Amino acid sequence: MDRVIQSPGKYVQGADALQRLGDYLKPLADSWLVIADKFVLGFAEDTIRQSLSKAGLAMDIVAFNGECSQGEVDRLCQLTTQNGRSAIVGIGGGKTLDTAKAVAFFQKVPVAVAPTIASTDAPCSALSVLYTDDGEFDRYLMLPTNPALVVVDTAIVARAPARLLAAGIGDALATWFEARAASRSSAATMAGGPATQTALNLARFCYDTLLEEGEKAMLAVQAQVVTPALERIVEANTYLSGVGFESGGVAAAHAVHNGLTAVAETHHFYHGEKVAFGVLVQLALENASNAEMQEVMSLCHAVGLPVTLAQLDITEDIPAKMRAVAELACAPGETIHNMPGGVTVEQVYGALLVADQLGQHFRRRFDRKALG
Ligand SMILES: [Zn+2]
């Protein structure tokens, strides 16, 4: 089978990069539909308008209605056609970017995205997740290309809540372990073939960056300042994790996340927070070395990611709930089937309970040390 890697056409990252957005958009098209979060327009509308005007670009700036649904996509497609715009740029959180990607897909025009948080690896990927107007999952829209341009303004990311950056670290934490597992079984990635060495090494570099810079980056975002560590974590969360998961492969951690979403108590936790616990479950499934488990739990603890079920607010009826999570994680078509040698519901159930125990032990030892 052919090996495949895919990525966004251009990736730009820096403090105040939004002020230069027009210069980066200009080579792609001269007439833009700008879809932005209302919250972002509150502080950045003038910056966006000036930047595009200065570059000589025509634009309509439209507020995103809050849900990435077919209805919202259709509304924005209509606006694009009506006003004769020849490209789309999305500015804001994940749903805004996914909407911009979907609109561009249906209009067959280029898309640029400017994430204002670094909480998931979605900006660089060729995928939109569509929901119903009521916020229920609708379907995945697989796109033929990645965004032509990704622009990340790290000064804006630095002012977002710290917990969002931690969630991004949780999502990025899965990248290396899932790519490693999927490549051991030569599974096809979302890019359409087994992983290249390039993608695997990006995934490994992603993990190494989290270990080296994660804790320091959290301190920066808590102080709302841009530092070299924050820059490196934004790059890891957004680019390395984005290209790493799409072209490196996905395995158990995200399947366990999907299972956990069925437990009501976890609904108020971010994607990356549940994925982080999914990583521990995957390591338990793989019977990973004690040193590796400790390393991952230490990182989670340092940046404020959960290592136990209690930290995900799951404290009652654990056996029954974990059996349901294991069954969902092993549903047909789930990425867990990319694990080498395959897995059974029974094994996943065991790994969920053991990962929780390992996390509890880790926390007790840590608390003792803190006291002693
Ligand atoms: Zn993810």
Side-chain angles (χ1 to χ4, degrees):
M1 230 179 140
D2 299 332
R3 296 178 187 278
V4 187
I5 182 168
Q6 63 186 45
S7 67
K10 184 181 269 197
Y11 179 83
V12 177
Q13 181 187 304
D16 304 318
L18 212 54
Q19 293 175 12
R20 301 178 286 280
L21 181 64
D23 298 334
Y24 291 115
L25 294 177
K26 198 176 167 65
L28 296 171
D30 51 18
S31 174
W32 291 80
L33 186 80
V34 182
I35 305 167
D37 283 1
K38 285 187 188 116
F39 168 73
V40 173
L41 289 178
F43 63 86
E45 184 167 356
D46 288 345
T47 306
I48 297 164
R49 194 177 294 283
Q50 279 168 20
S51 177
L52 270 71
S53 295
K54 219 170 63 195
L57 306 178
M59 80 198 95
D60 300 300
I61 299 183
V62 199
F64 173 55
N65 84 352
E67 194 52 79
C68 179
S69 64
Q70 191 65 54
E72 175 67 349
V73 170
D74 291 344
R75 174 181 82 95
L76 295 163
C77 280
Q78 222 167 31
L79 271 175
T80 312
T81 309
Q82 253 170 30
N83 301 351
R85 298 305 177 205
S86 50
I88 314 290
V89 54
I91 307 174
K95 288 192 180 209
T96 312
L97 308 190
D98 273 11
T99 303
K101 289 194 275 185
V103 172
F105 167 70
F106 289 116
Q107 295 294 117
K108 299 188 170 57
V109 297
V111 64
V113 298
T116 52
I117 50 179
S119 66
T120 73
D121 50 25
C124 290
S125 75
L127 171 77
S128 282
V129 187
L130 289 180
Y131 296 83
T132 66
D133 288 320
D134 305 323
E136 303 267 308
F137 173 78
D138 175 10
R139 67 186 198 275
Y140 291 114
L141 189 61
M142 309 294 278
L143 308 170
T145 56
N146 300 66
L149 170 70
V150 178
V151 177
V152 192
D153 186 333
T154 44
I156 294 178
V157 174
R159 292 197 297 269
R163 192 178 148 198
L164 285 168
L165 191 77
I169 291 173
D171 203 15
L173 177 60
T175 308
W176 162 240
F177 297 105
E178 291 190 288
R180 182 178 72 180
S183 78
R184 279 175 181 163
S185 54
S186 301
T189 73
M190 285 173 65
T196 55
Q197 287 302 304
T198 312
L200 277 180
N201 278 284
L202 289 181
R204 176 71 222 194
F205 182 49
C206 181
Y207 178 53
D208 289 341
T209 304
L210 303 183
L211 289 176
E212 189 59 37
E213 310 290 346
E215 193 172 359
K216 287 184 280 175
M218 288 306 296
L219 298 175
V221 79
Q222 278 153 13
Q224 302 200 322
V225 292
V226 179
T227 61
L230 180 73
E231 290 277 3
R232 291 200 53 192
I233 287 298
V234 171
E235 186 180 328
N237 287 8
T238 312
Y239 188 88
L240 294 173
S241 181
V243 176
F245 98 82
E246 191 170 64
S247 293
V250 188
H254 270 82
V256 169
H257 159 275
N258 293 345
L260 283 169
T261 58
V263 181
E265 292 92 316
T266 70
H267 284 181
H268 61 284
F269 289 95
Y270 291 121
H271 172 83
E273 293 174 323
K274 286 174 265 197
V275 169
F277 187 73
V279 171
L280 286 182
V281 177
Q282 178 174 323
L283 292 174
L285 259 179
E286 291 175 313
N287 195 24
S289 73
N290 206 22
E292 192 164 63
M293 299 248 197
Q294 296 296 322
E295 188 175 69
V296 168
M297 285 189 287
S298 299
L299 173 64
C300 288
H301 183 81
V303 301
L305 287 166
V307 296
T308 65
L309 291 171
Q311 287 176 295
L312 287 168
D313 284 355
I314 306 174
T315 52
E316 288 170 358
D317 302 329
I318 286 177
K321 282 174 188 158
M322 289 311 110
R323 196 157 282 284
V325 170
E327 273 165 19
L328 277 168
C330 293
E334 259 300 354
T335 53
I336 204 164
H337 304 296
N338 290 339
M339 293 298 288
V343 293
T344 63
V345 172
E346 210 49 43
Q347 288 167 335
V348 179
Y349 173 73
L352 279 157
L353 297 185
V354 167
D356 180 42
Q357 288 296 324
L358 279 165
Q360 290 185 36
H361 274 243
F362 175 86
R363 283 175 59 82
R364 274 199 295 272
R365 261 208 322 277
F366 185 87
D367 288 348
R368 262 205 304 275
K369 250 193 229 157
L371 283 173

